[in-house]
């Protein structure tokens, strides 16, 4: 969200609800986003494929597992990209849970990027820092299939 007057953003709700807002980072005004053709980079379900045939049919990701996903060198993402913009989806989950996307060379944060309930298919846009090894990690709290599509990146 763009920061408004006095460094604030507004959150609108259509009905009464509790709100939790986690800060994931910021981009200086000089940062240049590079959009790409949306391309699937991760597809754990059987008989479905990614844009380049890598990271296909990995199977249901186990509860408590971390999947390391190479993002650079694929779908037009150059080596050394600092950050990627992904559409991450959980589907066919065995229970209520969450996914967290984070740089593999750091400790997993306590905040989630995507929350879901059993049997639901739900996506969320995720902006994640990329490791020097050109990867991001996806933590899965309960067994679920995971899909990740690239939408763009920020160069270093």
């Amino acid at each position: 969200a763009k920061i408004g007057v006095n460094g604030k953003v507004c959150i609108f709700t259509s009905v009464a609800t509790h709100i939790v807002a986690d800060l994931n980072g910021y981009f200086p005004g000089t940062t240049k986003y590079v959009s790409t053709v949306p391309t699937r980079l991760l597809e754990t379900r059987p008989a479905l494929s990614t844009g380049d045939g890598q990271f296909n049919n990995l199977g249901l990701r186990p509860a408590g597992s971390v999947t390391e996903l190479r993002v650079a060198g694929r779908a037009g993402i150059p080596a050394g990209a600092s950050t990627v913009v992904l559409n991450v989806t959980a589907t066919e989950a065995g229970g209520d849970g969450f996914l967290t996307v984070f740089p593999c060379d750091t400790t997993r944060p306590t905040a989630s990027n995507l929350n879901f309930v059993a049997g639901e298919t739900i996506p969320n846009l995720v902006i994640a820092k990329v490791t020097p090894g050109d990867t991001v990690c996806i933590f899965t709290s309960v067994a679920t299939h995971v899909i990740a599509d690239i939408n763009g990146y920020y160069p270093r």
Side-chain angles (χ1 to χ4, degrees):
K2 186 174 180 177
I3 298 173
V5 178
N6 297 323
K8 297 179 180 179
V9 297
C10 292
I11 300 172
F12 171 80
T13 62
S14 62
V15 297
T17 186
H18 291 284
I19 297 173
V20 175
D22 296 320
L23 177 64
N24 291 317
Y26 72 96
F27 294 102
T30 58
T31 302
K32 302 294 182 203
Y33 174 71
V34 179
S35 63
T36 61
V37 174
T39 304
R40 183 136 306 157
L41 296 183
L42 173 65
E43 174 59 81
T44 66
R45 298 172 295 177
L48 297 168
S49 186
T50 61
D52 60 6
Q54 299 178 52
F55 293 89
N56 290 324
N57 192 19
L58 301 178
L60 204 63
R61 306 318 301 149
S65 69
V66 174
T67 302
E68 186 171 355
L69 176 64
R70 175 165 298 286
V71 292
R74 305 175 65 204
I77 308 304
S82 70
T83 307
V84 290
V85 178
L86 300 166
N87 188 46
V88 178
T89 303
T91 188
E92 302 175 30
D96 299 352
F98 65 91
L99 299 178
T100 301
V101 183
F102 61 101
C104 300
D105 60 351
T106 64
T107 302
R108 177 175 54 92
T110 57
S112 64
N113 294 105
L114 175 63
N115 300 302
F116 51 86
V117 297
E120 180 179 48
T121 297
I122 187 164
N124 198 25
L125 187 70
V126 175
I127 300 172
K129 185 176 177 190
V130 179
T131 68
D134 297 322
T135 62
V136 297
C137 279
I138 303 171
F139 172 80
T140 308
S141 69
V142 299
T144 188
H145 281 290
V146 181
I147 302 161
D149 300 330
I150 189 75
N151 289 297
Y153 67 94
Y154 290 88
R156 290 209 190 273

